[in-house]
Amino acid sequence: MTTTQAVHQSAPHQGEQQARTVFLLAHTGRPAAIRSAERVVSGLLRHGIGVRVLAEEAADLPLPDAVERVASRQSAAEGCELLVVLGGDGTLLRGADFARTSGVPMLGVNLGRVGFLAEAERDDLDKVVDRVVTRSYEVEERMTLDVLVRNNGSVVHTDWALNEASVEKAARERMLEVVTEVDGRPVSRFGGDGVVCATPTGSTAYAFSAGGPVVWPEVEALLMVPISAHALFAKPLVTSPKSVLAVEVQPKTPHGVLWCDGRRTVELPAGARVEVRRGAVPVRLARLHHASFTDRLVAKFALPVAGWRGAPH
């Protein structure tokens, strides 16, 4: 099984009567997201496709009565064929919670800055609606992380992440002293701002900012990237997807904080141990384009490629 297993979604057979519903998630704090949601909803309803939204967002969106409102719970997208997210990376990561729980593919429309998880831009809304209506998209699976926290030998917290799980210092003026571990063996002890444990998907997020490598999504691997470490050996590591990464907060250091995808957080007392392994449940992403990740990387980071003559034939 690869990280990016593509599955073509064929158009419905003629005479097919099965009801179709799309779950829509939007960053309602952005005027652009509200306008975009209105266009997407009207387009889907016009083609007989039902739309479901969170009740807490419905009040901020100009929605007709035909739109289904549901409570905000992890199972909110169950029974839908697609989850369409309108917003930046933060909104897309929020959508990943629903996508992972329900197994529904997530299609992101970027209304933020970089938007590596997004498949379309705001100018593509009509195209997005058309592709959803005709089911002209592919689905790929992205690797996730399962995260657990131990304290005094007992598991005190479990979580998951699509991009990264980061162990960070809680006090700005103090370093966090940690020991990193791979597959039950110690690697290095250092003080610094923390450690990022990431998936290939997350290699272009926090891990990238911390100096980690860019890893192509189809590569199956785990990353461990120190953050501002004061040590002779504190280099980014790329390990097997079967590895178990661990970060131990040293007993005499100030407490730390665990962040999962920059959204969910839990305090780490001195002596706590964070273990990170490949997640049992992937997140499924809907793709409209066949562009290579290299092209996506160049476009998202506006990398200079002038002077390239093309690969030899």
Side-chain angles (χ1 to χ4, degrees), residues 227-251:
I227 310 170
S228 302
H230 292 254
L232 290 176
F233 184 85
K235 300 297 184 182
L237 304 178
V238 180
T239 74
S240 161
K242 297 179 182 179
S243 290
V244 178
L245 312 182
V247 181
E248 294 184 345
V249 179
Q250 292 304 283

Side-chain angles (χ1 to χ4, degrees), residues 191-221:
D193 289 352
V195 183
V196 179
C197 298
T199 63
T201 298
S203 71
T204 53
Y206 193 1
F208 176 82
S209 299
V214 174
V215 180
W216 266 234
E218 60 267 26
V219 175
E220 295 191 334

Side-chain angles (χ1 to χ4, degrees), residues 83-104:
L83 194 166
V84 176
V85 181
L86 307 174
D89 284 334
T91 311
L92 287 162
L93 288 171
R94 185 161 67 99
D97 276 331
F98 299 107
R100 175 176 174 270
T101 301
S102 63
V104 172

